Amino acid sequence: MSGGKRVAVLVSGGGTNLQALIDARDAGQLDGCDLAAVISSRDDAYALQRADAAGISSFVVPRKDFETNRDMTAALTEQLRYLNIDLVVLAGFMHILTEEIIAAYPNAIINVHPSLIPSFCGAGFYGLHVHESVLASGVKVTGATVHFVNEQPDAGPIILQKAVDVLEGDTPEILQRRVMEQAEWQLLPRAVALFCQDRLRVDGRIVHILED
Ligand code: GAR
């Protein structure tokens, strides 16, 4: 679909959350959104093939080409501006962005995180490590969070959350899959749609969801 807010999805790996966005678009659930670009921090990310198959322009801004996260963030921000992007979605993007991009996109960067923030989040908590920590801690409930990105990792205003049970016999891989299926793949497209329809109002730490 074209028209609407121009969305860029930033990825580093498999891209199942990107796929959930593509599937939602194809099912007509992303009114007001134009999935305009996919940008990967790795040239071998499978997410790039998903973008190609869905007819979305893709770009690589390789982390390994930059000395620091700040240098990579500067290059990314330039690319996003060039592409006229309105909303940046971090969908399995495995690097901490520096404040330059937040200044350029205030309350217009959304991240999906595989736990119930403020538990199991912040520096070092990404991908499977999150689920390993959840299992080691003995909690019986985990989940996923979609939130706006601010200057601190995983600490911006929360848009949507969903709880998922931890079950006897779970491995990090099994739990990761359940959290994706039952939470992430539902929450992320919903949050993106709400943003594109101007239905999110941020008031300090609180995100209000406006009626349709
Ligand atoms: C997802 O579980 C996502 O929530 C997580 O990495 C996985 C990426 O999977 N992100 C983080 O941990 C960020 N802190 P995907 O590439 O298949 O979407």
Side-chain angles (χ1 to χ4, degrees):
M1 186 188 108
S2 57
K5 290 197 201 295
R6 289 176 58 77
V7 179
V9 185
L10 273 52
V11 297
S12 302
T16 66
N17 279 286
L18 166 65
Q19 191 65 50
L21 290 168
I22 293 167
D23 293 347
R25 176 197 71 176
D26 293 348
Q29 292 161 356
L30 288 188
D31 266 8
C33 302
D34 175 8
L35 292 184
V38 168
I39 305 180
S40 175
S41 61
R42 302 173 55 119
D43 58 12
D44 59 352
Y46 184 67
L48 289 167
Q49 294 184 38
R50 296 183 191 272
D52 284 351
I56 302 172
S57 310
S58 62
F59 307 86
V60 182
V61 177
R63 173 63 184 89
K64 63 177 166 45
D65 286 4
F66 300 93
E67 207 166 305
T68 63
N69 275 2
R70 189 174 302 281
D71 293 343
M72 176 195 61
T73 303
L76 270 173
T77 307
E78 199 175 310
Q79 179 77 357
L80 292 165
R81 282 204 170 113
Y82 175 75
L83 292 168
N84 245 316
I85 294 302
D86 300 303
L87 171 67
V88 182
V89 178
L90 310 184
F93 188 73
M94 296 305 185
H95 315 276
I96 294 177
L97 296 169
T98 56
E99 63 271 15
E100 291 79 4
I101 197 169
I102 293 139
Y105 286 92
N107 289 334
I109 309 173
I110 286 176
N111 180 45
V112 58
H113 182 78
S115 77
L116 290 175
I117 290 174
S119 292
F120 305 105
C121 62
F125 285 95
Y126 60 91
L128 267 187
H129 299 303
V130 176
H131 305 290
E132 285 162 6
S133 303
V134 164
L135 290 175
S137 77
V139 296
K140 302 294 187 191
V141 175
T142 182
T145 303
V146 177
H147 64 94
F148 283 115
V149 172
N150 68 7
E151 292 76 10
Q152 283 108 39
D154 299 329
I158 291 170
I159 303 168
L160 296 170
Q161 288 189 300
K162 190 160 185 280
V164 174
D165 286 338
V166 178
L167 300 178
E168 194 64 42
D170 272 352
T171 62
E173 290 80 6
I174 290 170
L175 183 59
Q176 178 182 54
R177 182 77 190 183
R178 188 179 312 119
V179 168
M180 285 175 159
E181 283 177 356
Q182 295 185 7
E184 295 184 52
W185 299 343
Q186 300 169 21
L187 296 187
L188 186 62
R190 248 181 80 206
V192 169
L194 288 168
F195 181 96
C196 290
Q197 294 157 19
D198 283 322
R199 290 175 57 199
L200 298 177
R201 176 139 329 136
V202 185
D203 181 11
R205 286 214 52 82
I206 311 300
V207 179
H208 297 284
I209 298 177
L210 307 182
E211 290 296 312
D212 202 354

